[in-house]
Amino acid sequence: MFNFNIAIIGIGRVGLPLGLSLAKEGFKVIGIDINKDVIDKVNRKIMPFEEAGYEELIKRVDFFATSDISEVQNSENIIITVGTPLLSHIETDLSQITGVLESMTPYIREGHNIILRSTVAPKTTDFVRKYLEQKTCLKVGQTVFLTFCPERIAEGKALKELKELPQIIGSEDPKSAKKAEEIFKRLTGDILHTTFISAELVKLFNNISRYIHFAVSNQFSIIADDFGQNIYEIIEMANYKYPRGIIAKPGFTAGTCLRKDFGMINETIPYTDLLLSAWKINEFMPKFMVDNLQKRVAIYNKNVAVLGYSFKNDTDDTRDSLTPKLIRYIKREMPLEVKVHDPYLPDEIDCRYKNYSLDDAIEKADIIYIATNHKQFREQKDYIISKISADCWIVDLWNVFGVGKTFFKKEEVK
Ligand SMILES: NC(=O)c1ccc[n+]([C@@H]2O[C@H](COP(=O)([O-])OP(=O)(O)OC[C@H]3O[C@@H](n4cnc5c(N)ncnc54)[C@H](O)[C@@H]3O)[C@@H](O)[C@H]2O)c1
């Protein structure tokens, strides 16, 4: 009756690895996207972005991509994995979800099983249910099936985590729950069933608790520096043989998931809360790195190198990175030049910055910011130190150089 077992709508960083992993498990999978570049690359068996293990997998499995949404009528199961960013206000941007619903609904018919997998605000799956029931004559749980099955992988670890992480299935009827389980049990042996809203909250609470956890460390690093002390030494001692409440390391806490997911809860309450405070602290870190350096040395008329631009280590994903904000604050101080280097990115970064070679970026640097903790910077520490001038300042919130301080001079690097 159906040509495909599964159609994945939105073959980005979540949808494509999921689709390829499901194809590896023997499902017939089709990917649907509006981005022609992505479709073209996928059909040429090229990964459009870095995700460990998938460059090889995409060449090995049958996976076809198309922009033709009518293909959903040929697939028994439909998994929605489009983006759900925040608008510039604290408000979830539902436009990609509503875009999918508008284009897909004319092709939905009896028996279809729909799985929402994008990270969504509480009650969004219920909104999808209402949408489907209003625009078709189908009834969820009887003639069409709907679950919310959150994706909880970390970028770069999809291959492993899709098999290892338990799958939460949020449903409001047993038939939908069973249909989703039939798919995900081929990936993982651990399935947990709950309601739509609890499943939505599990995903949000997972991300928000990490966001707050890092905000605490970031605030501690500001406090330690205000007292003239070194945050890394303090955290190491605090965690050493101490069995309760490990303190995380400070760093830029951002990226497309962590930075936005607090807003999906925060938009539902009118008052200031812990989530909003975590946002404020994490968002302040670029300013901290500029202002507190300037207590030691002025940026004015200096050559500055910024190493790392993507939002986290060892990825080419620049979405919601804090580095552009850091660069803007540096530029407000009128340096002579700011040169950016990121080993994972192309020659032109986000159509905004030239991506210099490491040598070009650091050659004349008076100040180096380690903005992302890429493994290359740790491995190239000795090389970088050998190339820079004796009085070069380094700002290393991530402790990539292992000095244990956020602000230090070249001579302090062992
Ligand atoms: N990236 C992660 O590590 C991660 C992890 C867990 C959960 N999530 C969540 O998963 C969801 C997807 O994230 P992502 O990083 O894959 O986003 P992405 O931007 O990489 O992918 C989304 C894809 O959807 C496509 N799309 C948008 N509108 C469409 C439409 N109407 N029809 C078909 N395709 C459409 C886009 O072109 C894009 O390719 C988000 O809700 C995100 O919060 C992401």
Side-chain angles (χ1 to χ4, degrees), residues 211-236 238-239 242 244-251 253 277-278 281-282 284-285 288 292 397 404 406-407:
Y211 193 64
I212 293 173
H213 187 53
F214 296 135
V216 170
S217 314
N218 283 334
Q219 182 161 9
F220 287 167
S221 70
I222 295 169
I223 294 168
D225 201 61
D226 283 347
F227 281 105
Q229 306 303 306
N230 299 326
I231 185 60
Y232 275 91
E233 189 191 2
I234 295 167
I235 290 179
E236 253 169 49
N239 288 343
Y242 187 71
R244 286 174 290 281
I246 292 297
I247 303 171
K249 307 240 168 81
T253 311
S277 299
I281 294 162
N282 288 329
F284 181 72
M285 297 316 285
F288 163 72
N292 285 34
L397 183 65
T406 305
F407 307 94

Side-chain angles (χ1 to χ4, degrees), residues 9-10 12-14 32-35 81-84 96 99-100 118-119 151 153 155 203 257 260 319:
I9 308 184
R13 292 188 185 253
V14 159
I32 302 175
D33 206 291
I34 49 173
N35 185 327
T81 49
V82 291
T84 47
Q96 293 188 39
V100 168
S118 305
T119 302
E151 178 61 87
I153 54 147
E155 265 180 48
K203 169 65 194 178
C257 286
K260 74 173 167 69
R319 294 175 301 169

